[in-house]
């Protein structure tokens, strides 16, 4: 049954040049809603934003733009968002303890090494209490230079539909833009900070726990209690939005996650960049987090957050994807 469902999800019920939006035909009522969404100013989106950047870009961005636009040539088409990832029914779950052991064996070679900066594809759900939710896909590259300056570029692109228009809320107003449109390109002068997540992550699981706890404290109202598993996964996301982990840091993270309460193995998935990974799920009260890890070396490939309850106020249903991030080297 899972294979048949996967085939149906990958099917395209309308031609590329058809008049409808999304993954299938819309009825007239839905098209009117979408038209209103795209042409009327909505209420401010309710999204979790952790990074703030400033200033203008320099010539080095041109090479980063090329790197982003070439991504689609080397990456398999992604599974459609915002549908949640599906675990392969016939797959065998790999315990995190075993995955951590594999990661530690791979780390003995010392490669790859830690690198500051990130390359990520993300999908996020923008919501208001007036309009239906919309999914915003984009790709981000952050690169640091030897003088501690860095460059960030953000492109509106969705690898599941290369060449098709992409929905963005740039400027707070949802609209369609061309695939590959550069939403921002910025450079920042040299800066240095010895506090997490700006400082380099440690290669020991216990020290990494303290590091992530310090990084997550800024987003918590109660600074006295230990991190929950959900907060630990949020801190992992913050880490991966700042650093591309080396094998030793990935091994430390895998060992730390192996001891996380309530994070259970569920089997194999194909992530939104076409990569095979092992999935680990933590179910909260209103949401579910699915962590996708490379079965060979324990590197984190992606993190998906889905609703587990309907919320009529914002037009979301249980199973809708709130956010998804896929990290690349």
């Amino acid at each position: 049954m899972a294979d048949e469902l996967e085939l149906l999800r990958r099917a395209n019920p309308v031609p590329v040049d058809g008049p409808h939006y999304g993954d299938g035909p819309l009825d007239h009522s839905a098209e009117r809603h979408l038209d209103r969404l795209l042409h009327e100013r909505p209420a401010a989106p309710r999204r979790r934003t952790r990074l703030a950047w400033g200033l203008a870009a320099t010539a080095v961005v041109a090479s980063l733009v090329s790197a982003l636009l070439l991504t689609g040539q080397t990456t398999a088409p992604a599974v459609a968002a915002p549908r949640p990832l599906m675990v392969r029914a016939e797959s065998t779950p790999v315990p995190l303890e075993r995955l951590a052991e594999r990661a530690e064996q791979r780390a003995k070679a010392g490669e790859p090494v830690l690198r500051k900066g990130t390359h990520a594809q993300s999908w996020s759900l923008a919501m208001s209490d007036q309009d239906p939710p919309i999914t915003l896909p984009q790709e981000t590259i952050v690169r640091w230079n030897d003088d501690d300056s860095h460059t960030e570029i953000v492109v509106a692109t969705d690898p599941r539909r290369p060449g098709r228009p992409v929905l963005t809320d740039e400027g707070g107003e949802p609209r369609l833009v061309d695939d590959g449109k550069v939403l921002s390109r910025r450079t920042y002068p040299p800066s240095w900070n010895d506090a997490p997540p700006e400082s380099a992550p440690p290669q020991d699981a216990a020290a990494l726990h303290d590091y992530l706890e310090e990084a997550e404290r800024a987003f918590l109202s109660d600074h006295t209690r230990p991190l929950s598993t959900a907060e630990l996964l949020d801190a992992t996301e913050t880490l991966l939005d700042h650093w591309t982990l080396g094998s030793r840091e990935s091994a430390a993270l895998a060992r730390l996650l192996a001891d996380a309460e309530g994070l259970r193995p569920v089997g194999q998935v194909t992530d939104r960049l076409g990569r095979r990974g092992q999935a680990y799920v933590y179910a909260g009260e209103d949401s579910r987090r699915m962590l996708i890890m490379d079965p060979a070396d324990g590197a984190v490939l992606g993190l998906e957050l889905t609703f587990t309850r309907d919320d009529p106020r914002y037009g979301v249903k249980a199973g809708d994807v709130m956010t998804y991030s896929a990290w690349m080297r």
Side-chain angles (χ1 to χ4, degrees):
M1 178 61 73
D3 290 340
E4 286 80 356
L5 289 173
E6 185 67 14
L7 290 173
L8 288 173
R9 289 189 180 92
R10 293 181 180 179
N12 183 7
V14 292
V16 172
D17 57 351
H20 300 290
Y21 297 97
D23 295 318
L26 303 178
D27 58 27
H28 293 298
S29 176
E31 287 191 339
R32 284 198 304 273
H33 281 298
L34 183 58
D35 184 74
R36 183 163 63 91
L37 178 66
L38 293 176
H39 296 97
E40 294 181 14
R41 189 175 185 84
R46 292 167 54 92
R47 290 182 296 160
R48 184 181 189 183
T49 303
R50 292 196 165 198
L51 300 179
W53 311 90
L55 301 182
T58 60
V60 70
V61 174
S63 63
L64 297 180
V65 174
S66 299
L68 282 172
L69 299 182
L70 286 173
T71 299
Q73 298 180 11
T74 58
T75 304
V79 177
R83 296 187 181 97
L85 295 178
M86 296 296 294
V87 177
R88 295 179 64 89
E90 74 282 7
S91 63
T92 301
V94 176
L96 258 171
E97 178 74 24
R98 188 182 308 165
L99 194 65
E101 292 172 356
R102 293 179 187 174
E104 288 164 349
Q105 284 295 118
R106 181 66 65 91
K108 292 179 180 179
E111 296 289 340
V113 297
L114 178 71
R115 186 179 73 231
K116 194 168 187 179
T118 189
H119 182 185
Q121 178 77 39
S122 63
W123 291 260
S124 60
L125 200 64
M127 297 177 292
S128 78
D129 55 6
Q130 298 178 351
D131 298 294
I134 56 175
T135 300
L136 307 169
Q138 64 184 35
E139 190 165 356
T140 302
I141 271 189
V142 180
R143 290 288 181 261
W144 284 75
N145 305 313
D146 292 338
D147 65 353
D148 288 325
S149 64
H150 68 280
T151 304
E152 181 211 52
I153 181 169
V154 180
V155 171
T157 184
D158 191 343
R160 67 191 172 107
R161 292 183 297 180
R164 297 278 295 277
V166 179
L167 192 61
T168 179
D169 69 344
E170 184 185 13
E173 185 169 350
R175 60 192 176 91
L176 289 171
V177 298
D178 291 337
D179 178 45
K181 174 179 171 56
V182 178
L183 300 178
S184 67
R185 49 174 84 183
R186 298 165 180 167
T187 58
Y188 303 85
S191 62
W192 184 81
N193 190 332
D194 62 354
E198 300 295 337
S199 59
Q203 299 176 353
D204 172 76
L208 182 59
H209 178 274
D210 294 342
Y211 174 100
L212 294 178
E213 192 168 52
E214 183 177 349
E216 186 66 10
R217 288 290 177 218
F219 305 100
L220 302 178
S221 57
D222 185 352
H223 292 184
T224 61
R225 59 179 178 80
L227 292 186
S228 66
T229 298
E231 291 163 349
L232 179 60
L233 292 174
D234 289 343
T236 297
E237 182 176 6
T238 298
L239 171 65
L240 296 175
D241 282 341
H242 285 77
W243 295 88
T244 301
L245 301 188
S247 60
R248 291 172 180 168
E249 291 79 16
S250 288
L253 181 59
R255 176 58 61 188
L256 173 59
L257 293 172
D259 295 329
E261 183 178 355
L263 188 58
R264 60 184 181 86
V266 293
Q268 187 183 87
V269 299
T270 300
D271 81 350
R272 288 187 167 83
L273 298 181
R275 303 171 297 184
R276 292 287 180 91
Q278 282 290 324
Y280 301 87
V281 166
Y282 176 78
E285 183 177 350
D286 299 310
S287 62
R288 184 194 75 162
R289 289 166 172 81
M290 177 185 283
L291 184 74
I292 300 96
M293 303 179 74
D294 190 317
D297 59 12
V300 174
L301 301 178
L303 182 63
E304 176 182 81
L305 180 62
T306 58
F307 293 94
T308 55
R309 294 183 181 180
D310 297 350
D311 193 337
R313 294 174 301 169
Y314 303 108
V316 296
K317 296 180 179 180
D320 286 349
V321 176
M322 189 186 309
T323 60
Y324 181 82
S325 293
W327 291 280
M328 298 163 274
R329 283 204 67 86

